[in-house]
Amino acid sequence: MAGHSKWKNIQGRKNAQDSKRAKVFQKLAKEIFVAAKGGADVATNASLRLVVDKAKAVNMPNDNIKRAIDKAAGNTSGEHYDEITYEGYGPGGIAVLVHTLTDNRNRTSTNVRVAFNKNGGSIGETGSVAYMFDRKGYIVIEREGLEVDEDTFMLEAIEAGADDVEISAEAFEVYTEASAFTDVKDALSEAGYAFATAELSMIPQVVNEVPNDKKEQFERMIDALEDDDDVQEVYTNADGF
């Protein structure tokens, strides 16, 4: 990933998603519910801790977080969500992974397929694009107001266990192995750093440009997917998205 700033590329999309905060909270509540089924204590349930940290990073109210955990702990209704990842190609042959949590597989499959097909994309078979991505820890520390030089931060991150650090004028972007993510995150937090983003993500091995004549169509497809209530995350290998 050297030389590629994921953070810079997602800022426009992040700002757009901020305007849909209620929907973001709704999706996070579902993710917290699923994680909390494995135990309601964030100290002993690593998966729950990760998603709670993710929720706090986007300022999800503590009451909302607690409500989702309590709902899972006291769930007697049989409410259940399946995790399904769809793979396919967007306009211009861009690889796309769509991670969903759903209580209705038929509904979700139809909606995802329509979002692809109506916008010049196509659903692929399982494994058709997943091999182009690596599951990595991804941490962003914004540099505004941060009094640390690049070499010092680089050394701290590597000593904490990071695989790679991308440096730009706006941020330090830290990549880790998935298994090392929590340890690196904790070490940097203990060193006093605040995170703009800290999550496990699917990082493309190589990024590709969306053809100019396909950019509008590609963005419509991503918007349609992200707007779906069952879609938790959309990952692509598109540069600039």
Side-chain angles (χ1 to χ4, degrees), residues 39-54:
D41 186 352
V42 295
T44 57
N45 184 338
S47 296
L48 179 59
R49 179 186 170 194
L50 287 177
V51 69
V52 166
D53 286 348
K54 180 179 174 182

